[in-house]
Amino acid sequence: MLLSCAFVNLKPGVGKTTSAIWLAHALHESGMSPLFVDGDPAGSALRWSDLADGFPFPVVALPVGDVHRRVDDFLGDRRAVVFDAPQLEDHARIARSIMRHANEWIIPVTPAPIELDRMAPIRTEMDDVESLRVEPARTAVLLNRTNRHEPTRTGPDADAREVLTERGYDVLGTQIPRLDLYAQSFGMQVKVKGSAYMDLAEELMKRHTA
């Protein structure tokens, strides 16, 4: 079965595009041969690809409200697709269409109180889209821009993980630390070997085949 991942959130600036690009590279390195779909009207992922002289996988721009109907025309025999979805608050129709296709909804969240407070409206949006799907999607929170590389027992990262778990969210074991390696990578070639995104790709592939 196709691994179809969408990075979604209510607002911009949470690291959706960066995470989507890095994950796609990690899946490519893992032999999954992904298609990357830039669903954001801003076209940041497509621009990144142009500045980097291309990625080792195809990138298509589909900032349209029926992405879920069109994307299969570009897949061929690929085993994975990664979507960079626009923010729900401004482009709900496109984001919802992407969520109708994806079987993994990944919500990047910074371990800060204001970000945790935004989770309630995201859940409402997800519940609405679930009613349109034939099969339920898996939803997982990706702690992004964390203080530590690995999960800890104390500190802001651990507090955020505990709060989200108590609210019923599935929080991925992998977390993405706050590093210039990721934050300053726009427009650059991505060297994913040894990065946290390789761990993320491995975790998602295991979830997919479980």
Side-chain angles (χ1 to χ4, degrees):
M1 186 174 67
L2 179 76
L3 173 59
S4 180
C5 303
F7 286 83
V8 297
N9 206 299
L10 195 68
K11 294 180 176 293
V14 295
K16 293 194 309 300
T17 299
T18 299
S19 290
I21 291 291
W22 277 79
L23 175 63
H25 277 82
L27 290 173
H28 173 78
E29 289 292 321
S30 301
M32 291 292 284
S33 185
L35 171 72
F36 190 96
V37 177
D38 187 352
D40 193 334
S44 298
L46 191 63
R47 177 60 177 161
W48 186 339
S49 176
D50 289 343
L51 290 172
D53 293 325
F55 292 149
F57 46 81
V59 179
V60 297
L62 286 175
V64 294
D66 60 346
V67 187
H68 62 288
R69 294 193 181 96
R70 298 195 190 188
V71 68
D72 288 348
D73 293 338
F74 299 89
L75 278 173
D77 59 356
R78 295 184 182 278
R79 298 161 55 200
V81 56
V82 178
F83 292 93
D84 181 21
Q87 62 268 24
L88 277 157
E89 67 176 1
D90 295 325
H91 303 286
R93 187 162 177 258
I94 299 172
R96 286 180 168 215
S97 179
I98 287 172
M99 292 167 70
R100 289 182 68 175
H101 188 280
N103 49 39
E104 287 279 357
W105 298 348
I106 305 170
I107 311 167
V109 176
T110 302
I114 190 171
E115 295 296 331
L116 301 180
D117 192 51
R118 292 172 177 168
M119 294 300 289
I122 294 174
R123 172 166 276 170
T124 300
E125 291 283 352
M126 293 190 300
D127 289 345
D128 287 346
V129 177
E130 280 286 16
S131 67
L132 303 174
R133 294 177 55 92
V134 176
E135 297 181 359
R138 294 199 202 199
T139 303
V141 173
L142 173 66
L143 287 179
N144 191 30
R145 300 170 184 162
T146 59
N147 296 280
R148 296 287 185 270
H149 290 73
E150 302 292 338
T152 57
R153 293 184 178 181
T154 59
D157 302 347
D159 292 345
R161 184 176 293 275
E162 181 179 357
V163 168
L164 290 165
T165 302
E166 288 177 350
R167 293 179 184 176
Y169 291 99
D170 182 8
V171 184
L172 291 166
T174 305
Q175 59 188 43
I176 310 300
R178 186 187 299 274
L179 293 175
D180 285 345
L181 172 67
Y182 308 132
Q184 303 299 323
S185 60
F186 177 81
M188 308 294 289
Q189 289 282 345
V190 172
K191 305 297 183 183
V192 76
K193 185 177 180 180
S195 73
Y197 285 99
M198 284 301 296
D199 297 333
L200 176 61
E202 182 178 344
E203 183 173 359
L204 290 173
M205 288 188 292
K206 286 181 178 177
R207 281 165 58 92
H208 183 60
T209 56

